Amino acid sequence: MAKLISKTYGEAIFELAVAENRVDALSEEIQTVLKALEENPEFSEIMKHPKIIKEEKLQIIENVFKGRVSDELTGFIRLIVEKDRYGQLEEIMQYFLDEVKSLKGIGVAWVRSALPLREEQKKRIEAKLLETTCFREMEMHYQVDDTLIGGMVIRIGDRVADSSIRTKLNQLEQQLLKIQLQN
């Protein structure tokens, strides 16, 4: 349900941004709002508090965002609060940013490796991903995961390329178990 809500509202604000040719401007504003929300978790606590009435929450939105972000974004956040969807605001905004990346041909890759990668390795991985995908640019995220034993796992969206030693050992174990069961 939460994914459907974030998709519905996220698409609405994205379509507005495209129609008004304000994708970049709205994207910057949304990134600023997300950063502010991350740095001020007490703001979200207030906005989610059940004893604070909706009219007060709407006034808080006006006081905080009016004049700091566009009227369209302020109005959009007001709409989210009016529809009691503030709890999904961050997911909605992230959906918008993901749509912007898709529009611009930017892929997001999550790379987990057993050891820290050197800069030249990172550049080779990024170049190979650009070569083998339809993206014009890659946003790379690296993480060290020593449980992989060796190798790496690369995830782009719902696609995963797993060349980790851990996975290969698991596959070998499954093959050995099948052989053992047949004898």
Side-chain angles (χ1 to χ4, degrees):
M1 183 72 165
K3 278 203 181 263
L4 179 61
I5 291 167
S6 62
K7 183 179 190 287
T8 302
Y9 286 94
E11 278 182 1
I13 190 75
F14 179 73
E15 289 173 10
L16 173 72
V18 170
E20 293 185 358
N21 199 25
R22 297 198 56 236
V23 172
D24 291 333
L26 212 48
S27 181
E28 284 180 35
E29 288 182 10
I30 285 177
Q31 288 173 350
T32 301
V33 169
L34 284 173
K35 186 175 183 203
L37 293 175
E38 182 182 322
E39 292 172 355
N40 301 290
E42 61 278 355
F43 180 79
S44 287
E45 289 174 23
I46 291 169
M47 295 305 294
K48 292 177 186 175
H49 199 285
K51 294 198 176 178
I52 298 176
I53 61 172
K54 194 180 291 187
E55 288 73 24
E56 288 180 41
K57 292 178 183 180
L58 292 171
Q59 190 57 52
I60 291 170
I61 294 296
E62 287 291 320
N63 293 342
V64 170
F65 294 108
K66 190 86 171 158
R68 292 182 177 89
V69 297
S70 66
D71 290 344
E72 292 88 358
L73 186 54
T74 302
F76 183 73
I77 296 170
R78 280 183 55 89
L79 175 69
I80 299 295
V81 172
E82 286 173 5
K83 298 291 186 181
D84 294 321
R85 301 293 189 207
Y86 184 83
Q88 288 87 32
L89 180 64
E90 291 180 35
E91 291 89 1
I92 292 167
M93 290 183 163
Q94 191 56 57
Y95 183 91
F96 171 86
L97 295 175
D98 291 344
E99 288 296 297
V100 170
K101 288 175 187 171
S102 178
L103 176 72
K104 293 182 174 194
I106 301 171
V108 180
W110 300 88
V111 180
R112 290 186 302 137
S113 59
L115 299 170
L117 299 172
R118 296 184 308 276
E119 281 306 311
E120 69 216 29
Q121 291 173 311
K122 290 178 180 180
K123 287 179 183 172
R124 281 199 325 259
I125 292 168
E126 184 175 354
K128 188 67 173 176
L129 291 175
L130 286 170
E131 180 184 307
T132 58
T133 64
C134 59
F135 298 113
R136 290 177 277 192
E137 190 179 322
M138 293 300 296
E139 180 181 302
M140 304 295 293
H141 300 273
Y142 295 96
Q143 176 186 8
V144 175
D145 180 355
D146 59 0
T147 65
L148 298 178
I149 305 170
M152 69 179 71
V153 177
I154 301 172
R155 182 175 59 84
I156 301 174
D158 59 356
R159 296 184 318 184
V160 177
D162 188 341
S163 66
S164 68
I165 301 296
R166 180 183 67 195
T167 297
K168 290 180 181 178
L169 286 173
N170 287 341
Q171 290 169 344
L172 181 60
E173 178 184 31
Q174 293 302 315
Q175 290 173 350
L176 290 173
L177 286 172
K178 284 180 186 176
I179 292 171
Q180 189 176 25
L181 291 173
Q182 291 174 356
N183 290 334

